[in-house]
Amino acid sequence: MCRISRCDKSDAPALAELEKQCFEYPFSGKDFENEFENNPFAAIIALWIEESLIGYLEYMVTYDSSTVVRIGVLPAFRRKGFASRLFHAMFEELKALEEPPSTSTLEVSVDNVGAIALYRKEGYVEASVKKGYYKDGSDAIYMVKGL
């Protein structure tokens, strides 16, 4: 049984474990706890199969825009539509806001071909390139989607 739900501080350890399997520079449990405690603009939605976390998406809403902060899906569950489910859940949450944002933005490494394809499929278009955006000095593509 697959379900999507909002995360809270109690989910920080599970989110941190998933991060270790998804990212070279993973967020820690403390990083997630900090988001829950100190970032009123952030929301994290997670995709669970039974009691196992298999993916999540963190986004922020500021004024008339939302930004995808991070999205991670366990490697064994990639390319099976789970990331798209997370995006669609976010879009539904954004539409339900009293003042829905008009755009959603994100950054992605120019080298992350799979993610770029996913984001295009979800309706994001390339707006610009951010030179030296990542810790390793690589560039990021700034992508935008009208909501």
Side-chain angles (χ1 to χ4, degrees):
M1 165 77 50
C2 181
R3 70 180 165 87
I4 293 177
S5 62
R6 270 290 185 106
C7 292
D8 61 27
K9 187 177 172 183
S10 69
D11 296 311
L15 290 164
E17 279 303 310
L18 186 139
E19 281 272 313
K20 289 179 191 173
Q21 296 179 57
C22 292
F23 298 105
E24 185 176 353
Y25 303 105
F27 279 11
S28 68
K30 291 278 185 208
D31 292 326
F32 283 107
E33 287 175 12
N34 185 55
E35 284 294 275
F36 291 117
E37 292 172 353
N38 300 311
N39 189 347
F41 305 105
I44 300 176
I45 51 178
L47 196 144
W48 306 82
I49 293 182
E50 298 186 15
E51 296 304 312
S52 297
L53 175 66
I54 64 158
Y56 83 95
L57 185 150
E58 178 180 3
Y59 69 93
M60 292 192 304
V61 177
T62 52
Y63 306 106
D64 68 342
S65 181
S66 69
T67 301
V68 176
V69 178
R70 283 173 90 79
I71 180 169
V73 174
L74 290 175
F77 293 92
R78 292 181 185 158
R79 300 189 191 280
K80 296 181 179 177
F82 293 113
S84 288
R85 285 182 172 194
L86 288 165
F87 271 105
H88 291 248
M90 177 189 72
F91 298 145
E92 289 301 313
E93 285 191 7
L94 294 172
K95 281 193 252 180
L97 294 173
E98 187 174 315
E99 294 184 37
S102 60
T103 59
S104 176
T105 65
L106 57 81
E107 289 92 8
V108 59
S109 170
V110 296
D111 300 323
N112 194 341
V113 177
I116 293 167
L118 167 68
Y119 303 150
R120 285 181 179 150
K121 180 179 143 215
E122 294 303 328
Y124 289 84
V125 295
E126 298 170 22
S128 65
V129 174
K130 295 182 175 186
K131 298 286 184 189
Y133 182 79
Y134 293 104
K135 287 181 184 181
D136 66 2
S138 65
D139 299 342
I141 300 170
Y142 180 70
M143 300 183 83
V144 179
K145 172 186 171 84
L147 299 175

